């Protein structure tokens, strides 16, 4: 059975449904629906998944950079044992930033 591609209105509803549980800010669903002309429901799902990974990738990169800086400081420091003991006891709360239009545009280029 051949199923047609969703219309602009349907793509907008699909995007709203797929991103309903994601934290997002300033997403223009009408613009997203317009720029995804020719996308199937599956394509839209892949787009949303790809966009949702962008903040995660940024967080991982930030953590890697912090870890590299920490190792570099420890190597330079004579009293690195004291510094590392203090930093290991800290508990950090990790929060992801919200999705934005730039995430969606970059994801569209990848999908």
């Amino acid at each position: 059975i051949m199923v047609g591609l969703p219309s602009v209105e349907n793509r907008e509803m699909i995007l709203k449904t797929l991103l309903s549980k994601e934290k997002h800010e300033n997403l223009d669903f009408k613009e997203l629906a317009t720029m995804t002309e020719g996308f199937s429901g599956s394509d839209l799902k892949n787009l949303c998944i790809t966009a949702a990974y962008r903040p995660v990738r940024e967080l991982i990169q930030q953590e890697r950079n912090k870890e590299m800086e920490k190792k570099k400081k420890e190597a330079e420091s004579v009293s690195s044992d004291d510094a590392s003991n203090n930093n290991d006891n800290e508990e950090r709360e990790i929060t992801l930033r919200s999705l934005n239009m730039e995430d969606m545009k970059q994801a569209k280029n990848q999908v």
Side-chain angles (χ1 to χ4, degrees):
I1 298 175
M2 183 67 168
V3 177
L5 295 174
S7 66
V8 173
E9 295 83 16
N10 288 334
R11 286 194 306 274
E12 183 178 347
M13 289 190 318
I14 291 169
L15 288 165
K16 284 181 181 178
T17 302
L18 291 171
L19 295 172
S20 64
K21 294 184 181 179
E22 293 293 328
K23 190 169 75 169
H24 56 79
E25 59 184 39
N26 302 326
L27 284 183
D28 184 356
F29 289 100
K30 289 188 186 304
E31 182 183 344
L32 287 173
T34 303
M35 68 186 227
T36 55
E37 182 73 32
F39 278 43
S40 67
S42 178
D43 294 335
L44 294 172
K45 182 178 179 184
N46 288 334
L47 173 76
C48 292
I49 290 170
T50 303
Y53 276 126
R54 282 183 45 95
V56 175
R57 286 189 187 111
E58 288 175 7
L59 183 66
I60 290 170
Q61 187 61 44
Q62 289 172 359
E63 290 299 315
R64 284 182 182 159
N65 291 343
K66 286 179 186 176
E67 194 64 32
M68 287 174 54
E69 287 177 19
K70 182 180 173 183
K71 287 180 181 180
K72 185 177 178 181
K73 286 180 182 178
E74 285 178 359
E76 293 173 356
S77 176
V78 175
S79 60
S80 63
D81 292 337
D82 295 335
S84 65
N85 287 340
N86 291 337
N87 290 338
D88 290 341
N89 293 333
E90 294 179 15
E91 283 190 30
R92 291 180 289 158
E93 183 176 323
I94 298 174
T95 55
L96 290 176
R97 68 168 176 77
S98 300
L99 286 176
N100 56 36
M101 283 299 287
E102 185 60 29
D103 293 324
M104 300 304 288
K105 289 176 183 178
Q106 291 296 322
K108 182 181 179 283
N109 292 336
Q110 291 178 349
V111 172

